[in-house]
Amino acid sequence: MTIPIKNKEGIARMREACAIAATVLEQLKPMVRPGITTQDLEEAGRDLIARLGARSACYGYQHGSRRYPAHTCISVNDEVVHGIPSFRRVLREGDVVSLDIVVWHDGYVGDNAFTVPVGAMVPAVEKLLRVTREALDLGIRAAQVGNRIGDISHAVQTYVEANGFSVVRDMVGHGVGVSMHEPPEIPNFGRRGTGDKIKPGMTLAIEPMVNLGAYRTKTLSDGWTIVTADGTPSAHFEHTVLTTDRGPEILTVPRPLGAAQVT
Ligand code: MF3
Ligand code: CO
């Protein structure tokens, strides 16, 4: 499958969708504290998305015969991704909470994620979050025109493994644009110089999912929540990135909304 290339208008719309996704994520982060539930975060996220004139791309998302029941994905501790918010899940000091926000706006999708600690972390978890965030930075830096998708994968994997952690294999990053998942797949593991060539105008969701322990995962009986098989914590950081001749540009940054111009 060929990788969609966005034109100027598509890029302007992607900018807006991504800025909304980033704004929602940014506003949810400081709400993560002991005593609140993941359902509280869900409701705040749902309301913010609506207030910003967007729609959740997660709500009703179909996978097999199931539809995702919430507007946000909130994954705690050993939950890797696609955790379903719940009023039963009360956050406690020492938890780590991955927030994944995907919105539709004006026909385009913005996708980003961030892992937030609840209060103090033990050093190993602090390192897990730092290394995952840095792996995302390295993955983005590898998204240069003329490189290949495997260069992103390789950059993420080698950095994570050099730091003693493992990259999830069952879930991958992806192109994003007029739908949440477009070609290409962007694994967080792979070989340099393999995969599709990166050209200007691609919009890529780069998203290392990193486990403190082994890479294996399993799916809970709710059909959505992915957890580490060994029960160790996991971290997830994600940006939607535009590839350009001047280098990769992160689109999922909060900025004044409604200002995108078609030039
Ligand atoms: N960022 C997640 C992904 O790309 C969003 C999933 S929405 C869900 O897979 F509905 F599948 F949870
Ligand atoms: Co994604």
Side-chain angles (χ1 to χ4, degrees):
M1 282 258 274
T2 61
I3 304 174
I5 300 294
K6 275 75 183 178
N7 61 20
K8 280 193 168 157
E9 190 189 333
I11 291 168
R13 291 184 179 180
M14 277 301 284
R15 273 187 208 293
E16 195 68 9
C18 288
I20 292 170
T23 300
V24 174
L25 185 58
E26 199 61 28
Q27 299 207 17
L28 290 184
K29 285 181 203 171
M31 291 186 59
V32 174
R33 51 192 149 69
I36 74 156
T37 69
T38 55
Q39 179 65 20
D40 294 327
L41 294 166
E42 155 71 8
E43 288 171 16
R46 179 198 63 197
D47 292 352
L48 261 165
I49 292 168
R51 206 172 318 140
L52 296 172
R55 252 182 339 114
S56 167
C58 296
Y59 186 75
Y61 179 84
Q62 199 163 358
H63 181 73
S65 61
R66 294 173 194 266
R67 288 185 176 276
Y68 188 74
H71 300 75
T72 60
C73 294
I74 304 181
S75 309
V76 183
N77 297 340
D78 62 322
E79 296 171 359
V80 179
V81 287
H82 303 168
I84 302 173
S86 163
F87 62 87
R88 288 185 304 272
R89 188 79 195 228
V90 183
L91 298 179
R92 296 180 313 149
E93 174 106 14
D95 287 342
V96 286
V97 183
S98 299
L99 307 169
D100 192 350
I101 301 295
V102 199
V103 305
W104 275 106
H105 179 268
D106 200 14
Y108 284 82
V109 177
D111 187 358
N112 64 174
F114 197 96
T115 302
V116 190
V118 185
M121 286 177 283
V122 298
V125 172
E126 192 170 342
K127 182 180 174 192
L128 174 71
L129 267 54
R130 176 177 57 79
V131 165
T132 309
R133 211 175 50 230
E134 289 168 352
L136 171 59
D137 290 342
L138 292 169
I140 292 170
R141 210 170 303 163
Q144 303 287 341
V145 167
N147 278 1
R148 290 179 181 273
I149 296 298
D151 295 317
I152 301 173
S153 309
H154 177 82
V156 170
Q157 181 179 20
T158 51
Y159 186 70
V160 167
E161 292 181 353
N163 279 284
F165 301 132
S166 65
V167 290
V168 169
R169 316 274 169 122
D170 299 329
M171 319 291 300
V172 296
H174 50 94
V176 53
V178 296
S179 67
M180 179 158 69
H181 298 133
E182 294 183 343
E185 290 194 346
I186 310 175
N188 293 301
F189 55 95
R191 287 187 301 120
R192 210 181 254 155
T194 63
D196 287 292
K197 233 191 186 134
I198 297 173
K199 296 180 181 151
M202 294 178 175
T203 45
L204 307 175
I206 301 176
E207 50 177 321
M209 289 154 268
V210 176
N211 297 349
L212 190 89
Y215 69 80
R216 282 194 185 76
T217 67
K218 57 186 191 190
T219 307
L220 295 186
S221 57
D222 63 21
W224 290 100
T225 313
I226 311 290
V227 297
T228 59
D230 62 8
T232 58
S234 188
H236 180 209
F237 289 83
E238 174 178 29
H239 273 306
T240 301
V241 172
L242 170 70
T243 57
T244 84
D245 283 321
R246 286 153 282 111
E249 180 190 338
I250 299 172
L251 296 183
T252 36
V253 284
R255 56 178 187 78
L257 299 170
Q261 299 291 324
V262 181
T263 52

